């Protein structure tokens, strides 16, 4: 596997927000990071594709996905070192793989496919489509939200990922997510804490 797509080893709890567009992933990422007093890794694709749209008026193509995946892992690895026991990830390479399959006729770059299988996360938070659709320059397929949700859930099952489904308002989602994350934290020892490093 390409080195740039690998996770750097670090003993923290890694949580991924997973699901279709406009299902509250970024909002929940911020709330969880605040709750655990830690950092969150935003979705690199948004910055990459917004720049592409602003500069070239072009949308995502299949050959954009590998640079996006590399950018995402660079961001994740950098922020993992600044995490306080928990890193909240607004996306991961498995999500990129699902988009690749759904938007480009089943095509997935071999390097992306391998990385999506190998990189490991402690918990996936699968966000349901019971949130209002919010239009922007990058989002599309509002009429296919259920199809996309089903594709995301299938990917989690196919890869044997540990996941929970989040529905309802922000408060109920946050409560269910923190309960599951707290359980994982309790079972892990000697978690990396950026705040501990600062006080040594």
């Amino acid at each position: 596997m390409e080195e740039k797509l690998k996770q750097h080893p670090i003993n923290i709890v890694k949580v991924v927000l997973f699901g279709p567009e406009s299902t509250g992933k970024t909002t929940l990422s911020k709330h969880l990071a605040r709750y655990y007093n830690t950092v969150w890794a935003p979705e690199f694709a948004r910055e990459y594709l917004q720049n592409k749209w602003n500069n070239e008026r072009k949308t995502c193509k299949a050959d954009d996905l590998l640079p996006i995946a590399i950018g995402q892992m660079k961001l994740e690895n950098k922020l993992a070192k600044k995490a306080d026991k928990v890193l909240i990830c607004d996306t991961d390479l498995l999500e990129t793989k699902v988009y690749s399959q759904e938007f480009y006729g089943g095509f997935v770059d071999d390097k992306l496919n391998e990385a999506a299988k190998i990189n490991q996360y402690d918990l996936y938070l699968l966000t349901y489509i019971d949130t209002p659709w919010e239009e922007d320059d990058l989002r599309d397929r509002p009429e296919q939200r259920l199809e996309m949700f089903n594709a995301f859930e299938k990917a989690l099952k196919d890869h044997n990922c540990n996941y929970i489904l989040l529905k309802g308002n922000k408060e109920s989602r946050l409560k269910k997510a923190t309960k599951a994350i707290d359980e994982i934290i309790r079972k892990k020892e000697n978690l990396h804490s950026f705040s501990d490093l600062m006080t040594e």
Side-chain angles (χ1 to χ4, degrees), residues 80-91:
K81 296 174 190 170
K82 299 181 179 181
D84 192 21
K85 299 179 181 175
V86 180
L87 177 66
I88 308 299
C89 302
D90 196 2
T91 188

Side-chain angles (χ1 to χ4, degrees), residues 4-10 12-17 39-44 68-83 86-94 96 115 118-122 124:
K4 291 177 181 176
L5 293 172
K6 282 185 180 176
Q7 287 174 319
H8 296 168
I10 187 166
I12 55 174
V13 175
K14 287 191 174 184
V15 179
V16 181
L17 278 293
V39 293
W40 66 287
E43 189 180 8
F44 178 77
I68 285 170
I70 290 169
Q72 190 65 46
M73 287 316 301
K74 183 179 179 182
L75 193 57
E76 181 185 311
N77 286 326
K78 176 183 158 191
L79 288 166
K81 296 174 190 170
K82 299 181 179 181
V86 180
L87 177 66
I88 308 299
C89 302
D90 196 2
T91 188
D92 78 333
L93 301 194
L94 182 56
T96 309
I118 292 173
N119 289 345
Q120 295 293 309
Y121 298 88
D122 296 278
Y124 283 81

Side-chain angles (χ1 to χ4, degrees), residues 178-194:
T178 52
K179 183 180 178 185
I181 295 167
D182 288 346
E183 192 65 36
I184 294 169
I185 292 171
R186 272 196 291 273
K187 292 176 183 174
K188 286 207 168 192
E189 295 181 355
N190 303 315
L191 287 168
H192 166 88
S193 172
F194 185 69

Side-chain angles (χ1 to χ4, degrees), residues 51-115:
N51 287 338
K52 183 176 180 179
W53 175 253
N54 292 347
N55 296 328
E56 306 171 43
R57 280 294 182 265
K58 290 181 180 176
T59 56
C60 188
K61 300 286 183 238
D63 57 8
D64 286 316
L65 294 177
L66 200 57
I68 285 170
I70 290 169
Q72 190 65 46
M73 287 316 301
K74 183 179 179 182
L75 193 57
E76 181 185 311
N77 286 326
K78 176 183 158 191
L79 288 166
K81 296 174 190 170
K82 299 181 179 181
D84 192 21
K85 299 179 181 175
V86 180
L87 177 66
I88 308 299
C89 302
D90 196 2
T91 188
D92 78 333
L93 301 194
L94 182 56
E95 177 136 348
T96 309
K97 176 184 171 178
V98 173
Y99 273 113
S100 184
Q101 286 174 321
E102 294 300 311
F103 279 73
Y104 304 107
F107 167 80
V108 181
D109 184 284
D110 289 341
K111 292 172 186 170
L112 172 58
N113 192 39
E114 188 182 352

